[in-house]
């Protein structure tokens, strides 16, 4: 959609892609309790879809019901209100969310939804905020939100907000979603969690042995995660994303990934997604 074709009063649909953490190391802890990380974020060509329509009365309305998530606590509503507060915009929005990304899965669903709302409303409302300013607003909503606004594969540090572009090979991923919700806070608060991993240099990370420092804790606390990891590890270098629960393994072609998918046990949610180098809305903001 070009700027010339763009009608700010129209109902639009935008993508909110899932992400995976190619690795995730915890390298320290700030005085305020936040953990310091090093990770590599990559988006997938699969995720949620957001529907937006501008309102002229300033009211923010979520038009779809999400079980267990009241509108006032939903990141899409909070993102819209944060943009209003930052810009003084008198516009409102109707926001619908078509969920595919599992909650508590480590795939960044809520953060991606919030980022797509910020990017899209920034345009629909004519706010004109820069990418950097949107990332600053997004960070107050969640540590993963700035990455989706950054909009490309990234090496991340800090709490996840210090981002640099990263080039990685094309890949197809077999994704597994165990039937369990993993609360991020429960993993971060575990006394046995590794918090002192060696700090890596971005240029050399591909040659280092990496891991997800949260994986062992999640597997110990949630047997469903351990079982999914064990199954997928038969076919590739399986790893947990984020704080869990979802597991992924990379493959060089869709054909090979589909072969693994065909071997999935009945009852286990498994699918194939391609790595995505650029966010679908990256051109909407500068």
């Amino acid at each position: 959609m070009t700027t010339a074709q763009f009608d700010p009063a129209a109902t639009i649909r935008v993508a909110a892609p899932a992400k995976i953490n190619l690795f995730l190391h915890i390298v320290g802890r700030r005085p305020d309790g936040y953990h310091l990380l090093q990770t590599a974020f990559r988006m997938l060509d699969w995720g949620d879809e957001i529907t937006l329509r501008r309102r002229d009365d300033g009211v923010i309305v979520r038009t779809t019901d999400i079980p267990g998530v009241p509108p006032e606590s939903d990141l899409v509503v909070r993102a819209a209100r944060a943009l209003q507060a930052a810009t003084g915009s008198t516009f409102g929005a109707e926001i619908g969310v078509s969920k595919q990304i599992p909650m508590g899965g480590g795939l960044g669903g809520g953060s991606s939804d919030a980022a797509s709302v910020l990017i899209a409303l920034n345009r629909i409302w004519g706010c004109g905020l820069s990418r950097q300013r949107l990332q600053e607003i997004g960070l107050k909503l969640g540590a993963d939100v700035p990455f989706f606004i950054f909009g490309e594969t990234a090496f991340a540090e800090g709490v996840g907000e210090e981002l640099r572009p990263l080039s990685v090979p094309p890949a197809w991923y077999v994704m597994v979603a165990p039937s369990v919700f993993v609360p991020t806070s429960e993993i971060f608060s575990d006394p046995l969690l590794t918090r002192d991993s060696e700090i890596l240099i971005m240029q050399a990370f591909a040659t280092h042995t990496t891991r997800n420092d949260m994986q062992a804790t999640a597997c110990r606390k949630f047997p469903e995660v351990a079982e999914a990891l064990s199954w997928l590890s038969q076919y590739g270098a399986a790893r947990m994303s984020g704080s869990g629960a979802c597991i992924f393994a990379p493959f060089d072609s869709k054909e090979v990934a589909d072969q693994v998918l065909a071997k999935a046990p009945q009852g286990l949610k498994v699918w194939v997604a391609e790595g995505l180098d650029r966010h679908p809305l990256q051109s909407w903001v500068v």
Side-chain angles (χ1 to χ4, degrees):
M1 184 186 300
T2 67
T3 302
Q5 298 170 323
F6 186 70
D7 178 2
T11 297
I12 63 167
R13 297 180 183 275
V14 297
K19 63 82 178 168
I20 53 176
N21 299 84
L22 300 179
F23 79 98
L24 198 163
H25 293 176
I26 303 173
V27 298
R29 203 169 188 176
R30 300 194 317 197
D32 62 7
Y34 279 92
H35 289 76
L36 296 170
L37 311 174
Q38 284 192 313
T39 189
F41 286 119
R42 189 175 206 187
M43 288 171 287
L44 303 176
D45 70 340
W46 173 92
D48 296 343
E49 185 179 71
I50 310 294
T51 303
L52 296 140
R53 188 176 75 84
R54 192 183 77 183
R55 294 174 64 108
D56 295 330
D57 59 5
V59 177
I60 305 298
V61 180
R62 191 184 70 183
T63 60
T64 48
D65 181 53
I66 301 176
V69 184
E72 294 307 305
S73 61
D74 193 330
L75 280 175
V76 298
V77 174
R78 291 172 56 199
R81 291 196 171 138
L83 188 63
Q84 282 180 327
T87 63
S89 177
T90 58
F91 290 121
E94 294 175 2
I95 307 172
V97 184
S98 176
K99 289 296 294 181
Q100 294 290 330
I101 304 172
M103 291 185 283
L107 302 183
S111 295
S112 185
D113 295 347
S116 289
V117 166
L118 285 173
I119 294 169
L121 289 184
N122 183 55
R123 188 176 188 187
I124 292 170
W125 291 349
C127 300
L129 297 187
S130 68
R131 189 183 309 277
Q132 179 61 40
R133 182 68 184 109
L134 288 177
Q135 287 177 219
E136 292 168 0
I137 296 169
L139 181 59
K140 296 177 181 178
L141 299 168
D144 289 348
V145 180
F147 159 67
F148 290 105
I149 298 170
F150 185 74
E152 57 186 298
T153 307
F155 187 89
E157 298 182 275
V159 297
E161 85 288 9
E162 299 172 18
L163 299 156
R164 286 178 283 170
L166 181 68
S167 179
V168 296
W172 289 83
Y173 298 92
V174 174
M175 308 293 303
V176 183
S179 56
V180 62
F181 178 92
V182 176
T184 300
S185 59
E186 187 170 343
I187 303 301
F188 271 125
S189 63
D190 191 277
L192 299 181
L193 181 67
T194 297
R195 295 181 172 88
D196 59 355
S197 284
E198 174 190 3
I199 295 176
L200 302 181
I201 298 171
M202 185 183 82
Q203 290 80 356
F205 102 88
T207 62
H208 277 262
T209 300
T210 61
R211 63 196 168 274
N212 182 335
D213 282 338
M214 301 187 189
Q215 182 173 294
T217 299
C219 286
R220 177 167 43 83
K221 287 178 169 287
F222 300 93
E224 298 91 339
V225 176
E227 290 166 9
L229 182 66
S230 177
W231 173 75
L232 190 53
S233 293
Q234 299 175 89
Y235 308 105
R239 181 168 288 180
M240 188 179 79
S241 181
S243 57
C246 290
I247 307 295
F248 68 91
F251 296 92
D252 292 336
S253 69
K254 185 178 187 299
E255 290 72 23
V256 174
D258 283 340
Q259 290 170 12
V260 175
L261 175 65
K263 298 173 184 176
Q266 189 172 5
L268 189 62
K269 184 177 180 180
V270 185
W271 70 101
V272 170
E274 188 177 12
L276 187 67
D277 292 327
R278 297 281 185 275
H279 194 288
L281 302 181
Q282 193 187 43
S283 65
W284 284 30
V285 64
V286 294

